[in-house]
Amino acid sequence: MTAKLLTRVDPSRLRSLAVTAAIVGLVAGLAAAAFASVAGEPAIGDAIAIEEANAAAHPESATAHEEEASVSRRDQRGIGLFGAYALTGAAFGVLLALTAHGLRRGRPNIARRVMVAGVILSGAFTVAPWLKYPPNPPAVGNPSTLGERQSLYVAVICIAATVGVGATILSRRLRAGGWPDHRRVAAVAIAVAVPMLVVFAVLPPAPDAVTVPATLVWRFRVASLGANLTLWGLLTLGVGWLAAEAVRRRDPAEADHRPVPSPA
């Protein structure tokens, strides 16, 4: 099956790369959902128990809570969780293909481009928001602050993506200028860390107070980070490997003589 798929992959064509990445992303999403189901669902169950206890203590808010819970927990844990991660993985796959295609200037090695794109996107969509505004389980968060929380979250994603793209441009120019790898990597790391630290310091803190046990919150947060990094890791490695193998099968001589890429 893998060999048949490789014969249809043409990394030089955006459409072929995007379709391949979407399929890999769907599979990676299912794997991430399995991770989330094992690592994150217990924390969610505990948080819901706290939320229900609070609702019982304040009956005036229980009616609104019951109206919002239109999907059963069984569906949320099953088709809801796996379907959401699968669709997200497919969407991230297309975005990975678009980003890798956009980085083709000065980077003929498709596997290298995919890895660089994966680092940028996972950093922008997962790591940076998690560091500044980590997710919270049920029972944390006021519905009235939802819009503010979403705006701050999207702002961090956009800023981190911009910094990541700028870092790749800087890395390419430093390489063209003859900088040795250890100096280039250090310069790029500083160029990413400094602006992101400034952004984290300038942006306001999360608007909601955490009123549930810290251990419960951090169990959920770590599980969420692990699931998302599982998705990005499998997606990036899978697409990079498939694209590299497709290139090798199409042009073995070129692949055999291509230098091993160094870290971006």
Side-chain angles (χ1 to χ4, degrees):
M1 181 178 178
T2 303
K4 185 177 180 180
L5 178 60
L6 288 173
T7 60
R8 298 183 178 181
V9 178
D10 184 359
S12 63
R13 296 175 55 201
L14 176 58
R15 180 178 179 181
S16 175
L17 184 62
V19 171
T20 302
I23 295 173
V24 175
L26 191 148
V27 176
L30 293 175
F35 179 95
S37 179
V38 173
E41 279 299 319
I44 294 177
D46 293 344
I48 290 177
I50 294 176
E51 191 174 35
E52 291 175 346
N54 292 336
H58 302 85
E60 65 278 3
S61 63
T63 302
H65 173 75
E66 290 173 359
E67 291 177 353
E68 291 176 0
S70 58
V71 181
S72 68
R73 278 294 296 146
R74 181 177 180 180
D75 289 339
Q76 291 175 0
R77 291 194 301 263
I79 189 172
L81 177 67
F82 284 83
Y85 266 101
L87 292 176
T88 300
F92 280 165
V94 174
L95 187 59
L96 179 70
L98 290 171
T99 305
H101 188 75
L103 294 173
R104 63 190 181 279
R105 180 181 177 185
R107 291 184 176 88
N109 189 310
I110 179 61
R112 180 189 180 87
R113 294 205 312 268
V114 170
M115 296 302 168
V116 172
V119 170
I120 294 173
L121 294 174
S122 62
F125 280 89
T126 296
V127 178
W130 190 90
L131 291 173
K132 180 60 181 177
Y133 301 115
N136 290 317
V140 177
N142 191 324
S144 64
T145 65
L146 178 60
E148 180 183 358
R149 283 180 280 142
Q150 290 177 336
S151 298
L152 292 172
Y153 193 88
V154 171
V156 172
I157 290 175
C158 293
I159 294 171
T162 302
V163 171
V165 172
T168 64
I169 295 173
L170 174 63
S171 178
R172 185 177 66 229
R173 291 183 176 178
L174 293 180
R175 184 186 294 110
W179 280 48
D181 282 348
H182 67 284
R183 292 183 182 178
R184 178 176 57 83
V185 171
V188 171
I190 293 173
V192 171
V194 171
M196 291 308 302
L197 288 175
V198 172
V199 168
F200 289 167
V202 170
L203 286 176
D208 295 318
V210 177
T211 57
V212 299
T215 53
L216 171 60
V217 173
W218 281 104
R219 279 167 51 204
F220 175 82
R221 290 174 175 177
V222 171
S224 175
L225 178 65
N228 287 323
L229 290 181
T230 296
L231 192 161
W232 280 113
L234 294 177
L235 171 62
T236 302
L237 293 174
V239 174
W241 181 81
L242 286 173
E245 281 296 304
V247 170
R248 186 184 66 81
R249 287 171 178 258
R250 288 173 179 271
D251 193 349
E254 179 183 353
D256 290 342
H257 292 88
R258 183 169 293 161
V260 177
S262 59

